[in-house]
Amino acid sequence: MRTLCLLLGLLPFCCIANDAAWEAWRDGKAVLIMRHALAPGTGDPAGFKLTDCSTQRNLNSEGRQQAQAWGVLLQEQYAGDIALYSSQWCRCLDTARLMNIAPVQPLPALNSFFAGRGDRDQQTQALLQQFAARQTIPTVLVSHQVNFTALTGYFPASAEAAIIALPLTVPATVLARVTL
């Protein structure tokens, strides 16, 4: 894969993040945003309720394995305290919990606004305000494709992440794309 990325001229944007991007994340000069792990389907079923996971699209076994693998990768990158924020959707909360790296802090600004469920502009502005400055510890944001795309301008795969520079801007300054 790394060779393919090199041949296509995509090395800075796929495979494994470069050392400088990880250093910026460790130093609080960047945050890592990721799309939740694999939860097959699109959107949520009719009857969706935020407080009832049985009404939502949820992680499958591959998604649970991806979340755990992310936890291992992040702990390899940093052994100290990490701030971990998540959308309130169950697939995001489960992704964050399965990483097993820090207590999960639900953050409504990371909630999906797909199919009119939220407010793209308001939520994106809330993220820009909350992450307008350097963070005191490495920070991970677990969210949805629409939120990720609103910040970065590209469509991530399930469980894909990006290390983005602070302060957050739209479009964000993507230091590296990270996949498992």
Side-chain angles (χ1 to χ4, degrees):
M1 181 71 164
R2 189 172 177 86
T3 302
L4 177 62
C5 291
L6 182 60
L7 290 172
L8 295 175
L10 300 174
L11 194 54
F13 301 105
C14 67
C15 306
I16 299 174
N18 60 49
D19 290 339
W22 282 118
E23 184 176 339
W25 176 72
R26 286 188 293 268
D27 290 345
K29 296 176 184 174
V31 296
L32 184 140
I33 184 168
M34 75 174 290
R35 181 180 178 190
H36 60 77
L38 186 59
T42 303
D44 285 291
F48 167 89
K49 292 180 186 158
L50 185 61
T51 58
D52 184 353
C53 293
S54 70
T55 68
Q56 300 181 34
R57 188 164 53 92
N58 293 291
L59 301 182
N60 65 6
S61 62
E62 183 179 350
R64 290 187 291 278
Q65 290 172 355
Q66 288 173 333
Q68 291 168 340
W70 265 105
V72 171
L73 174 63
L74 292 171
Q75 288 175 332
E76 287 172 355
Q77 290 298 322
Y78 189 76
D81 291 335
I82 294 174
L84 179 57
Y85 296 94
S86 174
S87 158
Q88 294 172 298
W89 264 240
C90 295
R91 58 186 169 270
C92 292
L93 289 168
D94 290 345
T95 297
R97 288 179 185 128
L98 287 166
M99 284 193 262
N100 198 32
I101 57 170
V104 179
Q105 301 174 65
L107 182 62
L110 293 170
N111 288 354
S112 178
F113 43 78
F114 182 75
R117 291 210 188 272
D119 184 318
R120 173 191 170 123
D121 293 335
Q122 183 181 48
Q123 289 172 240
T124 302
Q125 284 303 312
L127 286 174
L128 294 177
Q129 290 173 5
Q130 180 152 356
F131 299 101
R134 184 178 180 157
Q135 299 297 291
T136 56
I137 60 176
T139 301
V140 175
L141 312 175
V142 180
S143 195
H144 305 267
Q145 174 270 312
V146 291
N147 307 73
F148 194 114
T149 301
L151 283 174
T152 66
Y154 73 89
F155 192 104
S158 293
E160 183 176 344
I163 298 174
I164 52 180
L166 294 175
L168 286 186
T169 57
V170 175
T173 301
V174 177
L175 304 176
R177 289 174 66 169
V178 189
T179 57
L180 294 172

